[in-house]
Amino acid sequence: MINKERLVENFINMAKISSPSLKEREVADYIKKQLEEIGLEVIEDNAGEKFNGNAGNVIGILRAPGKKKVLLSAHMDTVLPCDKVNPIIENGIIKSDGTTVLGGDDKAGIANIIEAIRVIKENNIEHPEIIVVCSIAEEIGLLGAKEFNIEKYSPDYSFILDSSGKPGAGIVQTPFSAKGTIKIIGKPAHAGIAPENGINALTVAAHAITKLRLGRIDSETTSNIGMVRGGEAVNIVMPEVTLHYEARSFSGEKLDNLLKETNDIFENISKEFGAQFENGVTKGYSGYHFNEDEEILSYFKKACENVGIEYSTKSTGGGSDSNVYNEKGFKALTLAIGMTKVHTKEEYIEIEDMVNTTKLVVELLKEIA
């Protein structure tokens, strides 16, 4: 029932289109044309305008009056480098030529959704109302999902095709997150003539960092300083330093406690040295956790059984558009689709996994109809 050649060709066509975050215009137009050809009502919202992007979320609707509503989603943007992607098929695997990412994250998810709906239409399969959302700017903070008016469409269930791992795995737990900058403002002075007249911002930061909990804090919580920037010249006592910080935890309470602890350390050490401290860390997406008896999981499990794919659940340390939709009160489950080594030039996906993911989507729609 799945047209493997058509599925692969469609994915490769999209993979070749450069679509970094907020520059999704060309791939958005390609997807709109595909959805219109299938017979969906297609619109594009204005999500990109808020962030100076050149495209909005692409939304397609396949009506089924009186039926339940199912949202299927994947994001259009990819991480860099994504210009001049050259997909190669080798031994049943699609990969790039090694100079760019492949873009399976998340164009494979879009290809799966489009092929599944084609199969539904071609075979006159009974289906729920289907809402397709191809979102923008997922990779830089789930921006498209945050701007998408999910309340307007009110899906009963949402499935986000955007995780590594074999098809059949559903993401039932994701972390709460926070990130931003921490700035220490010291006092400049000539480093060779009068260093005692200055306050070295890096020294202040270093003393604070020795007291922080960083890395893997416990089984639920991580914390990291990923970038440090500061200084004006080698002969000037460093007047300012900015630290780029993030933290995640499956426990919202643990994250709150960690953020307070981190703030207090920097605040106290800064006072001790006579420096100033600016905390620009803000909370991002909220985590979620599904119990095994959730109805959305029962549909997914049954779909896996129907097509002979092993069902499993897992947690992940990353976020996806599901985090936004769950926070807004709409049940959303992220599905693994087989993408591997994402965000690297070694990224690849097995064609068999693409076919199996598409089968699962078709079966999910049949089960919920």
Side-chain angles (χ1 to χ4, degrees):
M1 201 170 359
I2 308 300
N3 187 326
K4 180 171 71 173
E5 290 73 24
R6 181 175 63 189
L7 169 64
V8 170
E9 181 183 12
N10 196 23
F11 167 63
I12 287 177
N13 287 342
M14 283 188 284
K16 289 179 178 179
I17 301 172
S18 179
S19 58
S21 302
L22 300 178
K23 295 181 180 179
E24 299 95 345
R25 178 74 273 148
E26 188 177 351
V27 76
D29 289 339
Y30 176 92
I31 292 165
K32 288 168 72 175
K33 183 178 179 181
Q34 293 272 306
L35 296 177
E36 287 168 353
E37 287 176 353
I38 300 172
L40 276 68
E41 300 172 27
V42 180
I43 62 172
E44 181 178 334
D45 68 17
N46 60 357
E49 293 179 6
K50 182 175 180 178
F51 311 104
N52 296 316
N54 65 5
N57 299 311
V58 173
I59 303 153
I61 304 171
L62 186 60
R63 300 287 180 185
K67 295 292 189 72
K68 289 182 178 178
K69 297 179 180 180
V70 174
L71 184 148
L72 301 173
S73 182
H75 62 88
M76 298 185 288
D77 61 318
T78 63
V79 298
L80 299 172
C82 62
D83 191 30
K84 297 181 180 178
V85 176
N86 179 30
I88 296 170
I89 300 177
E90 191 175 275
N91 299 321
I93 291 173
I94 308 174
K95 60 183 180 179
S96 78
D97 62 8
T99 62
T100 67
V101 297
L102 174 63
D105 179 13
D106 191 22
K107 290 171 182 172
I110 298 172
N112 295 142
I113 292 169
I114 290 174
E115 179 63 24
I117 296 175
R118 285 191 186 279
V119 170
I120 290 284
K121 291 275 287 183
E122 290 168 352
N123 295 275
N124 295 314
I125 296 171
E126 187 176 358
H127 60 83
E129 183 153 307
I130 301 170
I131 304 152
V132 176
V133 180
C134 298
S135 62
I136 65 166
E138 190 270 355
E139 296 288 5
I140 57 172
L142 317 178
L143 303 185
K146 289 175 181 177
E147 291 302 307
F148 172 60
N149 185 6
I150 193 171
E151 294 85 357
K152 176 181 176 180
Y153 301 94
S154 296
D156 295 287
Y157 312 102
S158 299
F159 298 94
I160 316 303
L161 281 68
D162 187 19
S163 178
S164 57
K166 286 291 184 180
I171 309 303
V172 296
Q173 187 176 31
T174 64
F176 296 78
S177 74
K179 66 179 179 179
T181 58
I182 295 171
K183 181 184 287 187
I184 304 296
I185 303 170
K187 182 180 177 182
H190 195 292
I193 298 174
E196 61 277 0
N197 292 336
I199 300 172
N200 192 307
L202 184 60
T203 300
V204 179
H207 276 77
I209 288 170
T210 61
K211 299 180 181 296
L212 295 183
R213 292 188 292 161
L214 294 171
R216 172 72 64 185
I217 295 174
D218 58 33
S219 61
E220 296 185 305
T221 311
T222 61
S223 174
N224 184 57
I225 294 173
M227 291 185 289
V228 179
R229 292 187 173 134
E232 296 178 355
V234 71
N235 62 346
I236 300 174
V237 173
M238 189 182 292
E240 287 186 9
V241 65
T242 300
L243 315 175
H244 293 256
Y245 174 84
E246 75 146 30
R248 308 181 191 203
S249 181
F250 290 128
S251 165
E253 182 180 2
K254 284 185 178 180
L255 180 63
D256 289 342
N257 290 339
L258 177 62
L259 294 178
K260 183 180 185 307
E261 175 185 309
T262 300
N263 178 85
D264 291 349
I265 288 171
F266 276 103
E267 189 171 48
N268 292 335
I269 295 294
S270 295
K271 286 181 180 178
E272 182 180 327
F273 281 84
Q276 295 177 285
F277 159 62
E278 294 179 0
N279 188 346
V281 176
T282 58
K283 294 178 74 171
Y285 54 78
S286 294
Y288 68 86
H289 179 256
F290 287 157
N291 296 318
E292 282 295 331
D293 59 356
E294 292 276 2
E295 192 172 36
I296 193 170
L297 286 177
S298 68
Y299 281 120
F300 181 55
K301 184 176 183 180
K302 188 66 166 61
C304 290
E305 292 171 353
N306 290 349
V307 295
I309 293 174
E310 184 180 356
Y311 164 82
S312 65
T313 58
K314 65 177 184 176
S315 61
T316 179
S320 73
D321 289 349
S322 289
N323 291 74
V324 175
Y325 300 147
N326 279 302
E327 186 175 8
K328 291 182 177 182
F330 295 90
K331 292 290 184 182
L333 178 67
T334 299
L335 305 183
I337 64 172
M339 51 184 173
T340 305
K341 293 188 177 180
V342 297
H343 294 195
T344 75
K345 296 177 184 177
E346 290 75 46
E347 181 190 0
Y348 69 88
I349 190 165
E350 295 183 20
I351 293 174
E352 181 183 8
D353 286 341
M354 293 188 68
V355 172
N356 284 336
T357 298
T358 307
K359 287 180 180 178
L360 271 176
V361 174
V362 172
E363 203 62 34
L364 262 173
L365 295 171
K366 289 166 63 177
E367 278 295 320
I368 297 173

